[in-house]
């Protein structure tokens, strides 16, 4: 999975439309292989982003959990620590 796609579920406050769209863009880029589509493919590319964003929004609204919402700052700190460990192993 693309590292730029972040978990959006069970956060307080909930994911914004911009966060959902950004994840949708990353997903469509990954599966299409395009960072930026050609003019011939641009309409299909943008339509796919819209469709994925709508489906993602519906999914996030329909999911249920008994766990407490996650804290964005704490999760970001955990991610930074994971990346630091991975970079340290690479060098």
């Amino acid at each position: 999975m693309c590292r730029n796609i972040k978990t959006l579920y069970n956060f307080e406050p909930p994911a914004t439309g911009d966060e959902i769209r950004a994840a949708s863009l990353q997903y469509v880029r990954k599966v299409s292989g395009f960072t930026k589509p050609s003019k011939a493919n641009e309409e299909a590319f943008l339509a796919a982003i819209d469709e994925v964003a709508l489906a993602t929004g519906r999914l996030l609204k329909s999911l249920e959990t008994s766990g407490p919402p996650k804290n964005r700052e704490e999760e970001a700190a955990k991610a930074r620590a994971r990346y630091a460990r991975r970079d340290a192993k690479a060098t």
Side-chain angles (χ1 to χ4, degrees), residues 5-67:
I5 299 175
K6 308 290 187 243
T7 300
L8 300 177
Y9 178 60
N10 197 25
F11 280 98
E12 191 58 47
T16 65
D18 288 342
E19 290 172 315
I20 292 170
R21 184 149 180 92
S24 300
L25 171 62
Q26 290 300 323
Y27 174 79
V28 172
R29 283 179 173 170
K30 185 70 169 185
V31 299
S32 70
F34 299 132
T35 300
K36 183 174 184 204
S38 66
K39 286 288 184 192
N41 293 319
E42 185 173 28
E43 186 177 332
F45 189 85
L46 295 174
I49 293 168
D50 291 340
E51 291 174 25
V52 170
L54 287 171
T56 301
R58 284 193 304 269
L59 172 66
L60 293 175
K61 287 177 185 170
S62 67
L63 294 174
E64 297 179 18
T65 185
S66 59

